Amino acid sequence: MNSVLKSLSTEDLTNELNIAKARFEQLKAANLSLDITRGKPGTDQVALSNRLDGILNGDFIAHESKIDSRNYGNFDGLPEAKKLVAPLLGVLPTEVFIGGNSSLSLMYHTIAFATFFGVPNGIAPWGKGAKIIAIVPGYDRHFTLTAELGLELISVPMTAEGPDMDMVEELVKDPTVKGIWCVPKYSNPTGNTYSAKVVDRLAKLGKIATSDFRIIWDNAYEVHHLVQNGDQLTNIMELSRTYGTEDSVLIYGSMSKITFAGAAFAYTGMSPTNLKWFSKHMSMITVGDDKVNQLRHVRMFKDLSDIEMHMQQHAKIINPKFEAFYKVFDQELKDLSYATWTMPNGGYFISVDLINGCASKVVSLAASAGLKLTPAGATFPYGKDPEDKNVRIAPTYPPLTEVEQAAKLFAVCIKVVSLEEELGQR
Amino acid sequence: MNSVLKSLSTEDLTNELNIAKARFEQLKAANLSLDITRGKPGTDQVALSNRLDGILNGDFIAHESKIDSRNYGNFDGLPEAKKLVAPLLGVLPTEVFIGGNSSLSLMYHTIAFATFFGVPNGIAPWGKGAKIIAIVPGYDRHFTLTAELGLELISVPMTAEGPDMDMVEELVKDPTVKGIWCVPKYSNPTGNTYSAKVVDRLAKLGKIATSDFRIIWDNAYEVHHLVQNGDQLTNIMELSRTYGTEDSVLIYGSMSKITFAGAAFAYTGMSPTNLKWFSKHMSMITVGDDKVNQLRHVRMFKDLSDIEMHMQQHAKIINPKFEAFYKVFDQELKDLSYATWTMPNGGYFISVDLINGCASKVVSLAASAGLKLTPAGATFPYGKDPEDKNVRIAPTYPPLTEVEQAAKLFAVCIKVVSLEEELGQR
C-alpha cells in the first residue's frame, strides 16, 4: 500500500480526487482513441526496412551456398542466414534452425514436441501435469500457449537481477518441473536484463533438475537497445557447455522487431542433440521455411554490426516515446508515490506497479475514455495478478503526440482510482 | 503378373535381358546424376515469378483493407488475399484462413488440434488409436505426419474415379475412423481427378460417419493443368452445404507451385464452425503470417483468371517433360507390357506400376547408375507397398535433356529387373 497517500488528510485526498476527476472528464471529452496494448513497432520503424522488397534485384541465388531460394529444400534454412543470426543467439551457425515468421511458433512447437513426444534424454513425454516455471510479471503469450498444451504454470517473482533463483533452484528438485520461461534481456514487461550471476545459476540448473528439464530462453530483445551502451547479457550456451548442461538450453529470437513485424524470420539455437530432435519433428510439419525472405535479410545485413547500426535508428524513433511516459510519470505520479515504474535500457515495455487492487480499475477507467491498455493480469499466468497491481505499457506503436496524450490520460486514471481506493478505506 | 513376358520363351527372355543389361552398363558408364524424387518446379518455372520481389514498389499498404502489411495484426491474413484464393478453395472469402508458406503445416496443425484437443461437435480429442483412411498410392508426407501424431492409417485403393467409395462408406461406420486424406485433383501420385459421383458420396460421408469425422481435402493442384481444358473438380464445400455436412470438410491449397516453391503462402477453407475452432488454436502458435508476401501475391494476380494464365506458362515448360517419359515408355515398355503408367492432365507426377515385387529392385538399380527415384513404398502408409510395384516419377525439376536421360535409364532398369524376375521364376 501507499504510505504517502495514507499520510494525507481526507480533505487533501478529496481535493486531489476532485481535481483528478475534472481532468479525467476533460480528457474523456476529447474522444481519444489510443492503443498502447501491444509491443508493435511504429510505422516509421517498419519503414526503415522498406528496401527489403526488391533488394534481391533478380538474383535469388545465395552467394556462398549457391542455393536457389525460390525452390524447396534446405528445410532448416539458408547457411548464410544461420551465419547471420548465430551471434544473436550466442550459438554456433551449425546449432541454428531458421523458422518461419514467428519465434512464438518455434517455441510452441518445441514445447508441443516435448509434451506429446518427449525430449532427448527424457524417459517419457512431458505429458499433462508437467509444470513450467513462469517468471512474473511476464509475457502473456508464453503463459497461454503453455496452458493450451495442458501444462501447469508456477509463478516465480522477477527480481532486479532476474528470476528469484533460490525459489527456482528449490522448485526444479521436483522432477515434474520440466521447464522455465525466460525473457532474459529487456524482459517483457519489466525491461530488466538477467545478471551474470543469475545466468550462471540458470546454466547450472541442468545439474539439479530432471534430465528432460529445459530452459526456454526467449531472447527477443538481444539488440533492441533504447540507449547507447545498453545491457549486456551473459551467453548462456557458452556457460552451459562448460557445465555440460547444454541440452537444457533452448534459445529463440526473431527478425520481426528488426525489420518487418510478422514478415521477417525467426530462429532457434540448440545443442546438436536437441537440434536433431527438433528438426526430425519439424520435418513432419514443413518442407522448409521461406528462403527468399531469408536471403533478403542476408542481403540487407552483412553481419551483426550492420544489424546493430540499424537498431540505433529504431532507438532514435522509440526512445522519445518512452521518455514521454517518464516525463508525465515524474510530473504526475512521483510526489504522492501513486506508482512505481521501470525505465529499461531496451525492449518494448514499461512495467507499472500501482497500489494493490487498482490495476483492473485503471484499465477499465482508461478504456472508458478511449485508451486501450493491456488487460490487467495479462502479465501473469491464467491472467490473474494476485495483487492486481501491474499494468504493462507498450509505447512504441502510436505517434509521439498520441503517446503523450496516452501518458497523461493513464496518469490521471491512476490518480482517480488510487485516491478513490484510499478514501474508500477510511 | 505380366502375361506377355510369361508367353515368351526363356531364350527370348535371356536375349532381351542381355540387351537390357548391356544398355544399362552403357548408361551407368555415363556417370549420370539425375534426381526425379520430389515434386519440385524447375528453375525456369520459379523464374516466372521473379517480379514478386520488388513488386510492391514501396507501397506496403493493402489497397482495399488499408492494412499495413509490415506490421503485426490480422492474424488470419489480408482480406485481399482471402478474396484471391477463395475460388481456388471453392469457399467464401470469410471461410478462408491464410497461413504461412506451407499447406502441409496447416494440415498438420488441423490434425494435431483434432488429435490433442478435439474438433467441434466431437465428444473428445481424437486421441491415439483414432484411424485415418489413406487412399493408396498417395502422398508420403500425409502418411508420415499422421503416423507421427499417433494415428493409425487404413489403406483404401484408388480407382479411376477416386477412392473406392464402397470401402470408404463401410469403414466410416466405425466411430474410431476419424478422417480421410484426399488429393482430389491430379492426385499425388496417380494424377487422376475424383469424379462428380465420388465427390458427391464423399460430401455425404458426414451423414454416416461419427460427428468428429473430417475429410482432409488437399487440393494442391487445383489450377495445375498440363493440357488445355484440364480436369474439373466438383466443389465439395457447396455440395456439403446442401447435405448439411459442411463441418466434415477441410480444404487446403498453396501458392507454392504457382509462384515460389516454399516462399509463397498457403491457405485453408473451412465452415465457420471449424474456422473459429482452428483460428482459436492457431492464435496460440502465431501472431499472424507474412502479410507482406501475401500482398506481393495480391499485386501479382488480380484474380483467378490471372492465376490461370500464369499456370499456362508453367504447363508449357513442364508438359514436354511428361511427354518425354511417355515417349520412352511407349518405345521401351509397351510391347512386352513391362509396366503401366498414368498420363495425367495435370499435377506433378506419373505413377508407374511394375510387375509385382519389382519396385524396390528398380529403385536400387537406378540409384546404382546415378538416378534417384522416390523410395519404393513411399506412396503407401508406413512406407510399405504390399505388392512392391508402384514407383512415383516426378519429372518437373531437371532440365528436359536430363529428363530424357532419366526416362531411358528408368525404362532400362525396369526391363532388367522384370526380365530377371520372370527368368528367376522359371
Side-chain angles (χ1 to χ4, degrees), chain B residues 231-301:
Chain B
D231 298 352
Q232 291 296 318
L233 176 67
T234 303
N235 183 323
I236 193 169
M237 186 60 94
E238 272 179 16
L239 262 183
S240 70
R241 273 194 218 105
T242 70
Y243 295 130
T245 55
E246 64 270 31
D247 289 345
S248 69
V249 180
L250 308 164
I251 307 177
Y252 303 86
S254 174
M255 282 277 163
S256 259
K257 288 196 188 84
I258 295 175
T259 61
F260 291 157
F265 69 89
Y267 30 88
T268 175
M270 298 180 181
S271 72
T273 302
N274 284 328
L275 191 62
K276 194 177 156 193
W277 162 83
F278 181 74
S279 302
K280 178 180 149 270
H281 290 296
M282 280 303 288
S283 76
M284 297 290 138
I285 301 187
T286 174
V287 187
D289 282 300
D290 183 341
K291 293 191 299 296
V292 173
N293 211 28
Q294 292 168 30
L295 189 59
R296 287 190 188 100
H297 285 79
V298 166
R299 294 273 167 83
M300 179 144 155
F301 302 120

Coordinates of all heavy atoms in Angstrom, one line a residue, chain B residues 231-301:
Chain B
D231 N -8.9 -31.1 -66.1 CA -10.0 -31.7 -65.4 C -10.7 -30.7 -64.6 O -10.2 -29.7 -64.2 CB -9.4 -32.8 -64.4 CG -8.7 -33.9 -65.1 OD1 -8.8 -34.0 -66.3 OD2 -8.1 -34.7 -64.4
Q232 N -12.0 -30.9 -64.4 CA -12.8 -30.1 -63.5 C -13.1 -30.9 -62.2 O -13.5 -32.1 -62.3 CB -14.2 -29.7 -64.2 CG -14.0 -28.8 -65.3 CD -13.4 -27.4 -64.9 OE1 -13.9 -26.9 -63.9 NE2 -12.5 -26.9 -65.7
L233 N -13.0 -30.3 -61.1 CA -13.3 -31.0 -59.8 C -14.6 -30.4 -59.3 O -14.7 -29.2 -59.2 CB -12.1 -30.8 -58.8 CG -12.4 -31.3 -57.4 CD1 -12.4 -32.8 -57.4 CD2 -11.3 -30.8 -56.5
T234 N -15.5 -31.2 -58.9 CA -16.7 -30.8 -58.3 C -16.4 -30.1 -56.9 O -15.6 -30.5 -56.2 CB -17.6 -32.0 -58.0 OG1 -17.9 -32.7 -59.2 CG2 -19.0 -31.6 -57.4
N235 N -17.2 -29.0 -56.7 CA -17.0 -28.2 -55.5 C -17.6 -28.9 -54.3 O -18.8 -29.0 -54.1 CB -17.6 -26.8 -55.6 CG -17.3 -25.9 -54.4 OD1 -17.3 -26.4 -53.3 ND2 -17.1 -24.6 -54.7
I236 N -16.7 -29.5 -53.4 CA -17.2 -30.3 -52.3 C -17.9 -29.5 -51.2 O -18.8 -29.9 -50.5 CB -16.1 -31.2 -51.7 CG1 -16.7 -32.3 -50.8 CG2 -15.0 -30.4 -51.0 CD1 -15.8 -33.4 -50.4
M237 N -17.4 -28.2 -51.0 CA -18.0 -27.4 -50.0 C -19.4 -27.0 -50.3 O -20.3 -27.1 -49.4 CB -17.1 -26.2 -49.7 CG -17.6 -25.3 -48.5 SD -17.5 -26.2 -46.9 CE -15.9 -25.7 -46.3
E238 N -19.6 -26.6 -51.6 CA -21.0 -26.3 -52.0 C -21.9 -27.5 -51.8 O -23.0 -27.4 -51.3 CB -21.0 -25.9 -53.5 CG -20.8 -24.4 -53.7 CD -20.8 -24.1 -55.2 OE1 -21.2 -24.9 -56.0 OE2 -20.3 -23.0 -55.5
L239 N -21.5 -28.7 -52.2 CA -22.3 -29.9 -52.1 C -22.6 -30.2 -50.6 O -23.7 -30.5 -50.3 CB -21.5 -31.1 -52.7 CG -21.8 -31.5 -54.1 CD1 -20.9 -32.8 -54.4 CD2 -23.3 -31.9 -54.2
S240 N -21.5 -30.1 -49.8 CA -21.7 -30.5 -48.4 C -22.7 -29.5 -47.7 O -23.4 -29.9 -46.8 CB -20.4 -30.5 -47.7 OG -19.8 -29.3 -47.5
R241 N -22.7 -28.3 -48.2 CA -23.7 -27.3 -47.6 C -25.1 -27.8 -47.8 O -26.0 -27.7 -47.0 CB -23.5 -25.9 -48.2 CG -22.5 -25.1 -47.4 CD -22.5 -23.6 -47.8 NE -21.2 -23.1 -47.8 CZ -20.5 -22.8 -48.9 NH1 -21.1 -22.9 -50.1 NH2 -19.3 -22.3 -48.9
T242 N -25.3 -28.3 -49.0 CA -26.7 -28.8 -49.4 C -27.0 -30.1 -48.5 O -28.2 -30.3 -48.2 CB -26.9 -29.2 -50.9 OG1 -26.1 -30.4 -51.1 CG2 -26.4 -28.0 -51.8
Y243 N -26.0 -30.8 -48.1 CA -26.3 -32.0 -47.3 C -26.2 -31.7 -45.8 O -26.4 -32.6 -45.0 CB -25.3 -33.1 -47.6 CG -25.4 -33.7 -49.0 CD1 -24.3 -33.8 -49.8 CD2 -26.6 -34.1 -49.5 CE1 -24.4 -34.3 -51.1 CE2 -26.7 -34.6 -50.8 CZ -25.6 -34.7 -51.6 OH -25.7 -35.2 -52.9
G244 N -25.8 -30.5 -45.4 CA -25.6 -30.1 -44.0 C -24.4 -30.8 -43.4 O -24.4 -31.0 -42.2
T245 N -23.4 -31.1 -44.3 CA -22.2 -31.8 -43.8 C -21.0 -30.9 -43.9 O -19.9 -31.4 -43.9 CB -22.0 -33.1 -44.6 OG1 -21.9 -32.7 -46.0 CG2 -23.1 -34.1 -44.4
E246 N -21.2 -29.6 -43.9 CA -20.1 -28.7 -44.2 C -19.0 -28.8 -43.1 O -17.8 -28.5 -43.4 CB -20.5 -27.3 -44.5 CG -21.2 -26.6 -43.3 CD -22.7 -26.8 -43.3 OE1 -23.2 -27.9 -43.7 OE2 -23.4 -25.9 -42.8
D247 N -19.3 -29.2 -41.9 CA -18.3 -29.3 -40.9 C -17.4 -30.5 -41.1 O -16.4 -30.6 -40.4 CB -19.0 -29.3 -39.5 CG -19.6 -28.0 -39.1 OD1 -19.3 -27.0 -39.7 OD2 -20.4 -28.0 -38.1
S248 N -17.7 -31.4 -42.0 CA -16.9 -32.5 -42.2 C -15.8 -32.3 -43.3 O -15.0 -33.1 -43.5 CB -17.7 -33.7 -42.7 OG -18.3 -33.5 -44.0
V249 N -15.8 -31.1 -43.9 CA -14.9 -30.8 -45.0 C -13.8 -29.7 -44.6 O -14.2 -28.6 -44.2 CB -15.6 -30.3 -46.2 CG1 -14.7 -30.1 -47.4 CG2 -16.7 -31.4 -46.6
L250 N -12.6 -30.1 -44.8 CA -11.5 -29.1 -44.5 C -10.6 -29.1 -45.8 O -10.1 -30.1 -46.3 CB -10.6 -29.6 -43.4 CG -11.3 -30.0 -42.1 CD1 -10.4 -30.8 -41.2 CD2 -11.7 -28.7 -41.4
I251 N -10.5 -27.9 -46.4 CA -9.9 -27.8 -47.7 C -8.6 -27.0 -47.6 O -8.5 -26.0 -46.9 CB -10.8 -27.1 -48.7 CG1 -12.2 -27.8 -48.7 CG2 -10.3 -27.0 -50.1 CD1 -13.3 -27.1 -49.5
Y252 N -7.5 -27.4 -48.4 CA -6.2 -26.8 -48.3 C -5.7 -26.5 -49.7 O -5.9 -27.3 -50.6 CB -5.2 -27.7 -47.6 CG -5.7 -28.1 -46.2 CD1 -6.6 -29.1 -46.0 CD2 -5.4 -27.3 -45.1 CE1 -7.1 -29.4 -44.7 CE2 -5.8 -27.5 -43.8 CZ -6.7 -28.6 -43.6 OH -7.2 -28.8 -42.4
G253 N -4.9 -25.5 -49.8 CA -4.2 -25.2 -51.0 C -2.9 -24.3 -50.7 O -2.7 -23.9 -49.6
S254 N -2.1 -24.1 -51.8 CA -0.9 -23.4 -51.6 C -0.5 -22.7 -52.9 O -0.8 -23.1 -54.0 CB 0.2 -24.3 -51.2 OG 1.5 -23.7 -51.2
M255 N 0.1 -21.5 -52.7 CA 0.7 -20.8 -53.9 C 2.1 -21.3 -54.2 O 2.7 -20.8 -55.2 CB 0.8 -19.3 -53.5 CG -0.5 -18.5 -53.6 SD -0.8 -18.0 -55.3 CE -2.6 -17.6 -55.1
S256 N 2.6 -22.3 -53.5 CA 4.0 -22.7 -53.6 C 4.3 -23.1 -55.1 O 5.3 -22.8 -55.6 CB 4.3 -23.9 -52.7 OG 5.0 -23.4 -51.6
K257 N 3.4 -23.9 -55.7 CA 3.7 -24.4 -57.0 C 3.1 -23.5 -58.1 O 2.9 -23.8 -59.2 CB 3.3 -25.8 -57.2 CG 4.3 -26.8 -56.5 CD 4.1 -28.2 -57.0 CE 4.9 -29.2 -56.1 NZ 4.2 -29.6 -54.9
I258 N 2.7 -22.3 -57.6 CA 2.2 -21.3 -58.6 C 3.3 -20.2 -58.7 O 3.6 -19.8 -59.8 CB 0.8 -20.7 -58.0 CG1 -0.3 -21.7 -58.0 CG2 0.4 -19.5 -58.9 CD1 -1.6 -21.3 -57.4
T259 N 3.8 -19.8 -57.6 CA 4.9 -18.8 -57.7 C 6.3 -19.4 -57.2 O 6.8 -20.2 -58.0 CB 4.6 -17.5 -56.9 OG1 4.4 -17.8 -55.5 CG2 3.3 -16.8 -57.4
F260 N 6.7 -19.1 -56.0 CA 8.0 -19.6 -55.5 C 7.7 -20.8 -54.6 O 6.9 -20.7 -53.6 CB 8.7 -18.6 -54.7 CG 9.2 -17.4 -55.5 CD1 9.5 -16.2 -54.8 CD2 9.5 -17.5 -56.8 CE1 10.0 -15.1 -55.6 CE2 10.0 -16.4 -57.6 CZ 10.3 -15.2 -56.9
A261 N 8.4 -21.9 -54.8 CA 8.2 -23.1 -54.1 C 8.8 -22.9 -52.7 O 9.9 -22.7 -52.5 CB 8.8 -24.3 -54.7
G262 N 7.9 -22.9 -51.7 CA 8.3 -22.8 -50.3 C 8.5 -21.3 -49.9 O 9.0 -21.0 -48.8
A263 N 8.2 -20.4 -50.8 CA 8.3 -19.0 -50.4 C 7.1 -18.2 -50.9 O 7.2 -17.0 -51.3 CB 9.6 -18.4 -51.1
A264 N 6.0 -18.9 -50.9 CA 4.7 -18.3 -51.2 C 3.8 -18.3 -50.0 O 4.3 -18.0 -48.9 CB 4.1 -19.0 -52.4
F265 N 2.5 -18.6 -50.1 CA 1.7 -18.7 -48.9 C 0.7 -19.8 -49.1 O 0.3 -20.1 -50.3 CB 1.1 -17.4 -48.4 CG 0.0 -16.8 -49.3 CD1 -1.3 -17.2 -49.2 CD2 0.4 -15.9 -50.3 CE1 -2.3 -16.7 -50.0 CE2 -0.6 -15.4 -51.2 CZ -2.0 -15.8 -51.0
A266 N 0.2 -20.4 -48.0 CA -0.8 -21.5 -48.1 C -2.1 -21.0 -47.5 O -2.1 -19.9 -46.9 CB -0.2 -22.7 -47.3
Y267 N -3.2 -21.8 -47.7 CA -4.5 -21.3 -47.2 C -5.4 -22.5 -47.0 O -5.2 -23.6 -47.5 CB -5.1 -20.4 -48.3 CG -4.7 -20.7 -49.7 CD1 -5.4 -21.6 -50.5 CD2 -3.6 -20.0 -50.3 CE1 -5.0 -21.9 -51.8 CE2 -3.2 -20.3 -51.6 CZ -3.9 -21.3 -52.3 OH -3.5 -21.6 -53.6
T268 N -6.4 -22.3 -46.1 CA -7.3 -23.3 -45.9 C -8.7 -22.7 -45.9 O -8.9 -21.5 -45.5 CB -7.0 -24.0 -44.5 OG1 -8.0 -25.0 -44.2 CG2 -6.9 -23.1 -43.4
G269 N -9.7 -23.5 -46.3 CA -11.1 -23.1 -46.3 C -11.9 -24.1 -45.4 O -11.7 -25.3 -45.6
M270 N -12.7 -23.5 -44.6 CA -13.5 -24.3 -43.6 C -14.8 -23.7 -43.3 O -15.0 -22.5 -43.5 CB -12.7 -24.4 -42.3 CG -11.4 -25.0 -42.3 SD -10.7 -24.9 -40.6 CE -9.1 -25.7 -41.0
S271 N -15.7 -24.5 -42.8 CA -17.0 -23.9 -42.4 C -16.7 -23.0 -41.2 O -15.7 -23.0 -40.6 CB -17.9 -25.1 -41.8 OG -17.4 -25.5 -40.6
P272 N -17.7 -22.0 -41.0 CA -17.4 -21.0 -39.9 C -17.2 -21.7 -38.6 O -16.3 -21.2 -37.8 CB -18.8 -20.2 -39.9 CG -19.3 -20.3 -41.3 CD -18.9 -21.7 -41.8
T273 N -17.8 -22.8 -38.3 CA -17.6 -23.5 -37.0 C -16.2 -24.0 -36.9 O -15.5 -23.8 -35.9 CB -18.6 -24.7 -36.9 OG1 -19.9 -24.2 -37.0 CG2 -18.4 -25.4 -35.6
N274 N -15.7 -24.7 -38.0 CA -14.4 -25.2 -38.0 C -13.3 -24.1 -38.0 O -12.3 -24.2 -37.3 CB -14.1 -26.1 -39.2 CG -14.8 -27.5 -39.1 OD1 -14.9 -28.0 -38.0 ND2 -15.2 -28.0 -40.2
L275 N -13.6 -23.0 -38.7 CA -12.7 -21.9 -38.8 C -12.5 -21.2 -37.5 O -11.3 -20.9 -37.1 CB -13.2 -20.9 -39.9 CG -12.2 -19.9 -40.3 CD1 -11.0 -20.5 -40.9 CD2 -12.8 -18.8 -41.2
K276 N -13.5 -21.1 -36.7 CA -13.4 -20.5 -35.4 C -12.5 -21.3 -34.5 O -11.7 -20.8 -33.8 CB -14.8 -20.3 -34.8 CG -14.9 -19.4 -33.6 CD -16.4 -19.3 -33.2 CE -16.4 -18.9 -31.7 NZ -17.8 -19.0 -31.1
W277 N -12.8 -22.6 -34.6 CA -12.0 -23.6 -33.8 C -10.5 -23.6 -34.2 O -9.6 -23.5 -33.3 CB -12.6 -25.0 -34.0 CG -11.8 -26.1 -33.6 CD1 -11.6 -26.7 -32.4 CD2 -11.0 -27.0 -34.5 NE1 -10.8 -27.8 -32.4 CE2 -10.4 -28.0 -33.7 CE3 -10.7 -26.9 -35.9 CZ2 -9.5 -28.9 -34.2 CZ3 -9.9 -27.9 -36.4 CH2 -9.3 -28.9 -35.6
F278 N -10.3 -23.6 -35.5 CA -8.9 -23.7 -36.0 C -8.2 -22.4 -35.6 O -7.0 -22.4 -35.1 CB -8.9 -23.8 -37.5 CG -7.6 -23.9 -38.1 CD1 -6.8 -25.0 -38.0 CD2 -7.1 -22.8 -38.9 CE1 -5.5 -25.1 -38.6 CE2 -5.8 -22.9 -39.5 CZ -5.1 -24.0 -39.3
S279 N -8.9 -21.2 -35.8 CA -8.2 -19.9 -35.5 C -7.9 -19.8 -34.0 O -6.8 -19.3 -33.7 CB -9.2 -18.8 -35.9 OG -9.5 -18.9 -37.2
K280 N -8.8 -20.3 -33.2 CA -8.5 -20.2 -31.7 C -7.2 -20.9 -31.4 O -6.4 -20.4 -30.7 CB -9.7 -20.8 -31.0 CG -9.6 -20.8 -29.5 CD -10.8 -21.5 -28.8 CE -10.4 -22.2 -27.5 NZ -10.1 -23.6 -27.7
H281 N -7.1 -22.1 -31.9 CA -5.8 -22.9 -31.6 C -4.6 -22.3 -32.3 O -3.5 -22.2 -31.7 CB -6.0 -24.4 -31.9 CG -7.0 -25.1 -31.0 ND1 -6.7 -25.2 -29.7 CD2 -8.2 -25.6 -31.2 CE1 -7.8 -25.9 -29.1 NE2 -8.7 -26.1 -30.1
M282 N -4.8 -21.8 -33.5 CA -3.7 -21.2 -34.2 C -3.2 -19.9 -33.5 O -2.0 -19.6 -33.6 CB -4.1 -20.9 -35.7 CG -4.0 -22.0 -36.6 SD -2.4 -22.9 -36.8 CE -1.5 -21.7 -37.7
S283 N -4.1 -19.2 -32.8 CA -3.7 -18.0 -32.2 C -2.7 -18.2 -31.0 O -2.1 -17.3 -30.5 CB -4.9 -17.2 -31.7 OG -5.4 -17.9 -30.5
M284 N -2.6 -19.5 -30.6 CA -1.6 -19.8 -29.6 C -0.2 -19.9 -30.2 O 0.8 -19.9 -29.6 CB -1.9 -21.2 -28.9 CG -3.2 -21.2 -28.2 SD -3.1 -20.1 -26.7 CE -4.6 -19.3 -26.8
I285 N -0.2 -20.2 -31.5 CA 1.1 -20.5 -32.2 C 1.7 -19.3 -32.9 O 2.9 -19.2 -33.0 CB 0.8 -21.6 -33.3 CG1 0.2 -22.9 -32.7 CG2 2.1 -21.9 -34.1 CD1 0.1 -24.0 -33.6
T286 N 0.9 -18.4 -33.4 CA 1.4 -17.3 -34.2 C 0.6 -16.0 -34.0 O -0.6 -16.1 -33.7 CB 1.4 -17.7 -35.7 OG1 1.8 -16.5 -36.4 CG2 0.1 -18.1 -36.2
V287 N 1.3 -14.9 -34.1 CA 0.6 -13.6 -34.1 C 0.0 -13.3 -35.5 O -0.7 -12.3 -35.7 CB 1.6 -12.5 -33.7 CG1 0.9 -11.2 -33.5 CG2 2.3 -12.9 -32.4
G288 N 0.3 -14.2 -36.5 CA -0.2 -14.0 -37.8 C 1.0 -14.3 -38.8 O 2.2 -14.2 -38.4
D289 N 0.6 -14.6 -40.0 CA 1.7 -15.0 -41.0 C 2.1 -13.8 -41.8 O 1.6 -12.7 -41.6 CB 1.2 -16.2 -41.8 CG 1.4 -17.5 -41.0 OD1 2.5 -17.7 -40.7 OD2 0.4 -18.1 -40.7
D290 N 3.0 -14.0 -42.8 CA 3.7 -12.9 -43.5 C 2.7 -12.2 -44.5 O 2.5 -12.6 -45.6 CB 4.9 -13.6 -44.3 CG 5.7 -12.5 -45.0 OD1 5.3 -11.4 -45.2 OD2 6.9 -12.9 -45.3
K291 N 2.3 -11.0 -44.1 CA 1.3 -10.3 -44.9 C 2.0 -9.6 -46.0 O 1.4 -9.3 -47.0 CB 0.5 -9.3 -44.0 CG -0.4 -10.0 -43.0 CD -1.4 -9.0 -42.4 CE -0.7 -7.9 -41.6 NZ 0.1 -8.4 -40.4
V292 N 3.3 -9.2 -45.9 CA 4.0 -8.6 -47.0 C 4.0 -9.5 -48.2 O 3.7 -9.1 -49.3 CB 5.4 -8.2 -46.6 CG1 6.2 -7.7 -47.8 CG2 5.4 -7.1 -45.5
N293 N 4.3 -10.8 -47.9 CA 4.3 -11.7 -49.0 C 2.9 -12.0 -49.6 O 2.7 -12.2 -50.8 CB 5.0 -13.0 -48.6 CG 5.7 -13.7 -49.7 OD1 6.1 -13.1 -50.7 ND2 5.8 -15.0 -49.7
Q294 N 1.9 -12.0 -48.7 CA 0.5 -12.1 -49.2 C 0.2 -10.9 -50.2 O -0.4 -11.1 -51.2 CB -0.5 -12.0 -48.1 CG -0.4 -13.3 -47.2 CD -1.2 -13.1 -45.9 OE1 -2.2 -12.4 -45.8 NE2 -0.7 -13.8 -44.8
L295 N 0.6 -9.7 -49.7 CA 0.4 -8.5 -50.6 C 1.1 -8.6 -51.9 O 0.5 -8.2 -53.0 CB 0.8 -7.3 -49.8 CG 0.4 -5.9 -50.4 CD1 -1.2 -5.9 -50.6 CD2 0.9 -4.7 -49.6
R296 N 2.3 -9.1 -51.9 CA 3.0 -9.3 -53.2 C 2.2 -10.1 -54.1 O 2.1 -9.8 -55.3 CB 4.4 -10.0 -53.0 CG 5.4 -9.2 -52.3 CD 6.8 -9.9 -52.4 NE 7.8 -9.2 -51.6 CZ 8.1 -9.5 -50.3 NH1 7.6 -10.6 -49.7 NH2 9.0 -8.7 -49.7
H297 N 1.6 -11.2 -53.6 CA 0.8 -12.1 -54.5 C -0.5 -11.4 -55.0 O -0.9 -11.6 -56.1 CB 0.5 -13.4 -53.8 CG 1.6 -14.3 -53.7 ND1 2.7 -14.2 -52.8 CD2 2.0 -15.4 -54.4 CE1 3.6 -15.1 -53.0 NE2 3.2 -15.9 -54.0
V298 N -1.1 -10.6 -54.1 CA -2.3 -9.9 -54.4 C -2.0 -8.9 -55.6 O -2.8 -8.6 -56.5 CB -2.9 -9.2 -53.2 CG1 -3.9 -8.1 -53.6 CG2 -3.4 -10.2 -52.2
R299 N -0.8 -8.3 -55.5 CA -0.4 -7.3 -56.6 C -0.1 -8.1 -57.9 O -0.3 -7.5 -58.9 CB 0.8 -6.5 -56.1 CG 0.6 -5.6 -54.9 CD 0.0 -4.2 -55.3 NE -0.5 -3.5 -54.2 CZ 0.2 -2.8 -53.3 NH1 1.5 -2.7 -53.5 NH2 -0.3 -2.3 -52.2
M300 N 0.4 -9.3 -57.7 CA 0.8 -10.0 -58.9 C -0.4 -10.6 -59.7 O -0.4 -10.6 -60.9 CB 1.8 -11.2 -58.6 CG 2.2 -12.0 -59.7 SD 3.9 -12.6 -59.6 CE 3.9 -14.0 -60.6
F301 N -1.4 -11.0 -58.9 CA -2.6 -11.6 -59.5 C -3.8 -10.9 -59.1 O -4.2 -10.8 -57.9 CB -2.7 -13.1 -59.0 CG -1.6 -14.0 -59.3 CD1 -0.9 -14.6 -58.3 CD2 -1.2 -14.2 -60.7 CE1 0.2 -15.5 -58.6 CE2 -0.1 -15.0 -60.9 CZ 0.6 -15.7 -59.9

